[in-house]
Each structure stands twice: as C-alpha cells, then as structure tokens.
C-alpha cells in the first residue's frame, strides 16, 4: 500500500509518521512524507489583514522562517523514516495546505495520515482544520492522529451495515495482520459497535445484533479477537463510550453511512467521532 503522511514539523506531524510505523500492516507500506508550504496565503504575524503597504519586510522574514522550517522538518522526517525501518521519500510542495494534500492523496494512495492539530493557532502551516477538510475531500482512507504512536492491540470498529462498513471491515482484514509481531503477543481485539436508535420495534434491535454478528464472524475467521457491542442511543456518543470502555488504540469507521434516510448513518457521525475521540481514528473509503 502507498501511504501519504502530511506533516508540518509539529509533534502531531511526527506522530503521524510514527503511527504508520506502528500500524500492523500485512505488507510494509511505501511511504511518502509531504510538507506543504503555503506562501501565497501568508499573512503578517499578529495581523488580521492580508498584505498591505509597510508589511513587506515582516512578510519576507516569515517566508524565510517557513522555508527554513520546512527544510528542517524534511531532514527530520527522513531520519525518522529510516529509524522506523520504513521505505519512502520526503518532499516539499507549495500551495494551499488542504487542497495540495487532497491532490497528492489522489495519486494511487491507499491511506493518508495527518495530525489532528498543527504547530499553533497563528502558524499558517498548521494542520488543525486541514484534518477536517481532508476527511471529507480525500479520495483515500484517512488516519487522523490524536496522540503519540503505540502498539495497536485494541480496535473499535463502528459499523452500520452500509457499503462503507463493508469497506472498513475489508480494510482491516486485508491490510492489518490480526496479531502484532512477538512470541507472546495475543491477537488484536476488535470491538464491533453498531448503534441503533431507541425504538419500540424489537425486530430492529435483533437486526442490529445480526449485523454485528455478521461482521464479527468475518473478523474472527481472519484471526482477530472479537467482542460484539450492539448499542442503543446516539451513534457518535455510544462509539466514543465503547472506545473508552475498551481503552481503544484506534477507532475504525466508514466514511459514509446509509444515507440521509438511514437512522444509523456514519457520514456526519465519523466527523464527530474524529473531533471528540481521544484516540486516533481511521476513516475508511
């Protein structure tokens, strides 16, 4: 698999690279680390208005600072790739941050990894709002990194019976090994969550349980440990509760759900899960 990591030199950018090194891929990925320099959108530090007379000197200083920061981050990223044993390249592109990342993610990339936040609120090179943009616009699956990388032993899989859920399950089975390397490691635990609304129709609840069991059987057959977690309530809230209960290292969800009519859709739910989760989230396309 080709993996694109968008980084900005912040700790979240470094974590994104390290997460790629920790994910239990069946086949080691080919990684490209991307730094985007947005000079055209630059504004003078601490100023609300864009380029105006008298600010040129400050703008030039800021451009030089960003260019130097990008070169330094490129060197650090290359060293980090090497230390993690990942094969790949590091490059710098210029343009709008989110549009450039989305464009580069459309070139045969299977997974885009991005930090949930950037350097700080004033820095034009930050990835905070960018992570939200790429979730909705990238053509590939997106990993939003929330914390430092660690071995993935507990996964929460949020499903709703839609084609997007099928894709999420296929991603886990095809791309992730069910057990981390090591002589005494146990199979990765996947808690399968399907949230149904509070309804008076017991047959709907039974249908929800059947969907959970269907996916659970597929994962168990692939070698994963599985816990079935059918729930009632609001999807995003219940998914986050299960993630806390299982101390999840990663939440996996489809990018879209059943649609505007479906009560269990994951379209907007996946966005809320990304925004409020304390652990990293993989949105599968």
């Amino acid at each position: 698999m080709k993996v694109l990591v968008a980084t900005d030199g912040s700790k979240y950018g470094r974590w994104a690279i390290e997460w790629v090194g920790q994910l239990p891929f069946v086949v080691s990925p080919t990684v490209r680390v991307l730094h985007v320099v947005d000079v055209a959108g630059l504004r003078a530090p601490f100023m609300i208005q864009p380029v105006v007379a008298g600010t040129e000197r400050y703008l030039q200083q800021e451009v030089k600072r960003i260019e130097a920061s990008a070169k330094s981050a490129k060197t650090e990223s290359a060293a980090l790739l090497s230390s993690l044993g990942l094969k790949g390249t590091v490059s710098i592109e210029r343009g709008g941050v989110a549009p450039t990342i989305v464009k580069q993610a459309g070139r045969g990339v299977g997974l885009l990894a991005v930090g949930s936040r950037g350097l700080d609120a004033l820095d034009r090179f930050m990835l905070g709002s960018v992570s939200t943009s790429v979730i909705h616009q990238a053509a590939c699956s997106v990993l939003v990194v929330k914390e430092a990388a660690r071995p993935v032993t507990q996964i929460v899989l949020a499903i709703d019976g839609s084609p997007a859920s099928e894709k999420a399950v296929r991603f886990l089975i095809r791309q992730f090994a069910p057990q981390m390397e090591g002589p005494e490691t146990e199979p990765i635990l996947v808690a399968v969550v399907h949230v149904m609304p509070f309804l008076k129709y017991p047959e709907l609840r039974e249908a929800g349980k059947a969907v959970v069991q269907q996916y659970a059987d597929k994962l168990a057959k692939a070698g994963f440990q599985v816990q079935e977690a059918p729930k009632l309530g609001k999807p995003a809230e219940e998914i986050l509760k299960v993630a806390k209960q299982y101390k999840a290292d990663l939440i996996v969800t489809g990018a879209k759900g059943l649609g505007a009519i479906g009560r269990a859709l994951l379209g907007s739910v996946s966005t809320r899960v990304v925004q409020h989760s304390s652990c990293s989230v993989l949105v599968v396309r």
Side-chain angles (χ1 to χ4, degrees), residues 120-157:
D120 54 56
L122 296 173
D123 201 311
R124 297 293 296 175
F125 204 27
M126 70 179 180
L127 290 178
S129 60
V130 172
S131 61
T132 302
S133 298
V134 299
I135 290 170
H136 295 287
Q137 299 176 22
C140 63
S141 299
V142 180
L143 171 67
V144 180
V145 171
K146 293 291 194 83
E147 56 190 351
R150 61 175 185 262
V152 177
T153 61
Q154 314 269 5
I155 295 175
V156 166
L157 171 65

Side-chain angles (χ1 to χ4, degrees), residues 225-242:
Q225 289 189 73
V226 181
Q227 288 286 340
E228 299 179 14
K231 298 291 181 180
L232 295 175
K234 297 180 180 179
E237 292 180 7
E238 294 302 320
I239 292 167
L240 293 172
K241 286 180 183 178
V242 173

